[in-house]
Structures are given as structure tokens and as C-alpha cells.
Amino acid sequence: MASWTETHSPSRTPVCCSSSTLMSSGWRYFFEEKQPLQFHVFDAEDGATSPSNDTFLGSTECTLGQIVSQTKVTKPLLLKNGKTAGKSTITIVAEEVSGTNDYVQLTFRAHKLDNKDLFSKSDPFMEIYKTNGDQSDQLVWRTEVVKNNLNPSWEPFRLSLHSLCSCDIHRPLKFLVYDYDSSGKHDFIGEFTSTFQEMQEGTANPGQEMQWDCINPKYRDKKKNYKSSGTIVLAQCTVEKVHTFLDYIMGGCQISFTVAIDFTASNGDPRSSQSLHCLSPRQPNHYLQALRAVGGICQDYDSDKRFPAFGFGARIPPNFEVSHDFAINFDPENPECEEISGVITSYRRCLPQIQLYGPTNVAPIINRVAEPAQREQSTGQATKYSVLLVLTDGVVSDMAETRTAIVRASRLPMSIIIVGVGNADFSDMRLLDGDEGPLRCPRGVPAARDIVQFVPFRDFKDAAPSALAKCVLAEVPRQVVEYYASQGISPGAPRLCTPATTPSSSP
């Protein structure tokens, strides 16, 4: 949801119109896509059915990612000539309006059910139905059959609140109990009704249980002294909150984006037009294209928009010794670059000063990024999740060490994206991606979770830049939620932040 406010004259009634690549009602959010938004503010006139150019007060642009990552964004309104509209500002507030992701765990048992079998006891099971808007009943759960038992205890089960009651705690629920028959003609024992709200309230206190009389309407209407066909007891009703990626982002979790670029000799001499690192004035090379596509999305989720950028596999000044984790801005104390445009500038300046060499060792840069991720893990909070983008042209030389580094990183708040540049054999990369089964280190220890996403750039060289970003970033939201859920870490409360700045365009 986006709302707006504006500094204006009391005599005016401003209205806001938004245009974007998204639907104006119920915007769908995708982390892996850059979703631009425009907001236009007009002065409403009496009787006017639509804004006109004569009443235009100002406009602004941003991305949905900026709004989501900061929860509240305040930006100046701009006139058509690009100048600010006085002191007028617009404030956009984001709110997730999707249905709840809560799950509920339920445990039922029964007591003194009617016996429907002549030579043995009933084999009871229970069905739960929710009532739809058209008053039809929809089956949402069927318990297992408990053989030859009038006092069954059914296994606990878990289902989403959406499945149980369509997230409406007042929606009627119907419970039917049967005696199982192998012919499929099950004998009806009894029924009762409730709501999820009633079930929650009846089990709110520790150890508190709720019970209902199981009623057979035919017996109730025919038998004068009929009381019930048994008792159904709800022994457990526990709600489990399942958090979303948006919950973590809007709760203050930042995506810490780090770049690692392959400067091994197999890329070719940068002075040659055949080199993968060739800086042509006509078209950016594949390294730059990948960096812009992926980094342009990630920078919306980092508040200071400063990104560490490293190179590996090159001889660097002043002694021209081989390094596998050098800062491409040549400042080892502060390897961060200002926005993705700063990373690109540092890359361009770095190339003429280094000697492409080798080998292609990836483990050092993974271990380097894992250090702050480990510090983040020790906080026990969801404040910073690291994403490492590795751009490389060839086969990994230190495969054993890289596997060990990835398995270790799989237990940290960290994901790794590998983009293969050029036409080399990337079969090793697919092994790291887990395409052939869970990744294991040489000692056989498996990765705790899948954190690597590999794509060859050649599959996207003729596609729009957004296609590459969409492919490599699509798994990040799941990986973020998976990590924090595995650690039992809930997102922080949604917070309000300082006004956003608009990233400058890449050179």
C-alpha cells in the first residue's frame, strides 16, 4: 500500500495519481525485478473527472524496492522542468496487504464414542469442513483412522490458517466423526460446529483444553434421553507465525551486496577486442552488463548504498603479487564503492593498473564475505543478510576449498550468486549450484541449505538485462526466509526511515 502527503496551500485539494509497470490496485512485489513507480500530484477542481495538465503540482519517481526496504519514503515533488516544486514533498508508505501466512497445529482426541461395530469397537476418524461464502462445505482435513478404539487420540496435524478458515476466524467450521468401513460406507457417529476464534479462546491458557458434545441429529430427535454420541476434546491449538521476505525487509533487514570479479588471464588481454574485459565505447562488456543488471536491483535494499568490490586472480601493484581478494578501488582498509556506479568506475580504473594472471581461486573471497556474515549471526537478529555476486569466466581452480567454504557459509546469513561469463565449461559451477544433489565438502559434510545460484551469461546475452537479474535473484527471498526461520529469528517491527535518495545512473 502507498499513501502520500504533501505540503500545500489550504485552498487546494491535491490528489495523487500513480503510474508504473504494476497494477495500480494491489501492486505485486518481486525482489528480483526493478519495479519503477511514478507519482503525479494534481490540484483537484470542482466537477473535474480527471486531472488536467493545468492543475499539475509536481511528480516524483522511485522503485517499489526502495519503498519496501525503507517502509516510508519522503521525496521532493518536481515540476516538469525538473526543478523542485517549492517545499512540496510526497511521502509514500508501504504496507504488505497479502493474506496471513500463519499455520495452526491442532491435536484432537475423543472420549466414549458410540460403538458402531457388532463384534468389535468402532474405527473412528474425523473430517473438518469450512463453510464457503455460498454456504457450501469444503473438506479441509481428514484424520487418520484409529482402529478398534472408542477413545481415540488422533495424530497432531498442521495446516495453514488460509486452508482451515480462509483466514476468517469467525468462519463456521463443521466437524464430522465416522466409523470407518472398508466398503466406503462409513457409519456416521456424530458432529459439532465451532470457529477458529472459539478454538483459540478455549485453549488460550497453558494446559487448557476445549471439548464439545458429538451429536447425532437423528438420535437426538428420536431418543428421549439422548445426550451425545461421545465427547471430542481439542488438546492443542497452536498458531505458528510464518514470516515472509517482506516481513524481514520491512522489519529492517538490509541486503549487504558484495561484488567479486575474475581478473584471471583466461579472460584475455583487456586491450584486445576479443577480451571479456574489453572496455569498448560502443557496448559494455559482459562483466559490466551483469554487474548493472544484478547490482541495480540489490542497491535498493542497502541503506548506505556502499558496496565492497573485490577482484581475484590478478597481479596487483605495487609489488604485482597475485591476490584473490583485493579491493578494486585499491583501498584495503575501505573496499566499499559508492553505489553500483562507483563499483563500475572502480572497475574501469582498476583494469589498466593490474596484470591478469591466475589461478581462479574463489574460496578466499567467499571466506572474506563470510566473516561479517558470521558476526551478524552472533547478534541473533535479522539486520543484515549478505549476498555475494561472483563474476567469473572459467573453471574453479580451488574446487575442494570452495566447496568447504560454501558448506560453511550455508550456516550463515549469506547467499552466493555466480554468473559465468564467456564460453568456458561451467560444469563445476553447476556442481556448486546443487544441480546434482546437495553440495558436500570433501569430508562429506553436507550444506545446511542451498545458497548458490549459478547462471551462464551466454544464456542471457540477447535478452533484456532484467531477465538475468530475475533469474539469479529469484531464489534470494526464499534463502533469506529459510535461514532466519531455521535459526528461530523473527523479523523486527516495521520501522520508519529517513527520506530516500535516488541512486545516480551508472556511467
Side-chain angles (χ1 to χ4, degrees), residues 192-218:
F192 65 96
T193 60
S194 186
T195 65
F196 182 67
Q197 182 186 37
E198 181 183 49
M199 293 161 62
Q200 271 193 304
E201 292 175 349
T203 57
N205 299 321
Q208 185 178 2
E209 298 181 338
M210 188 172 188
Q211 65 181 36
W212 297 266
D213 287 333
C214 187
I215 302 297
N216 187 320
K218 289 184 179 180

Side-chain angles (χ1 to χ4, degrees), residues 217-330:
K218 289 184 179 180
Y219 291 175
R220 180 189 58 195
D221 296 340
K222 292 181 179 180
K223 295 183 178 181
K224 183 176 181 181
N225 297 321
Y226 176 78
K227 292 184 179 180
S228 73
S229 294
T231 302
I232 306 297
V233 178
L234 174 60
Q236 179 193 30
C237 179
T238 305
V239 176
E240 174 189 342
K241 176 67 176 177
V242 179
H243 299 294
T244 66
F245 176 69
L246 273 179
D247 290 335
Y248 286 102
I249 293 299
M250 297 176 72
C253 185
Q254 299 281 309
I255 301 297
S256 180
F257 184 60
T258 301
V259 179
I261 303 173
D262 183 339
F263 288 111
T264 55
S266 55
N267 284 278
D269 188 338
R271 294 170 294 184
S272 168
S273 61
Q274 303 302 313
S275 172
L276 295 173
H277 279 301
C278 176
L279 296 178
S280 170
R282 296 186 302 274
Q283 183 180 9
N285 62 41
H286 291 175
Y287 281 95
L288 286 174
Q289 291 180 46
L291 183 56
R292 283 173 171 159
V294 180
I297 301 253
C298 289
Q299 72 176 358
D300 283 346
Y301 298 87
D302 192 308
S303 59
D304 65 6
K305 306 200 184 305
R306 298 184 63 84
F307 307 105
F310 300 94
F312 59 93
R315 286 174 166 171
I316 63 173
N319 300 323
F320 288 94
E321 296 177 347
V322 176
S323 174
H324 297 290
D325 60 348
F326 65 92
I328 64 173
N329 64 1
F330 296 113

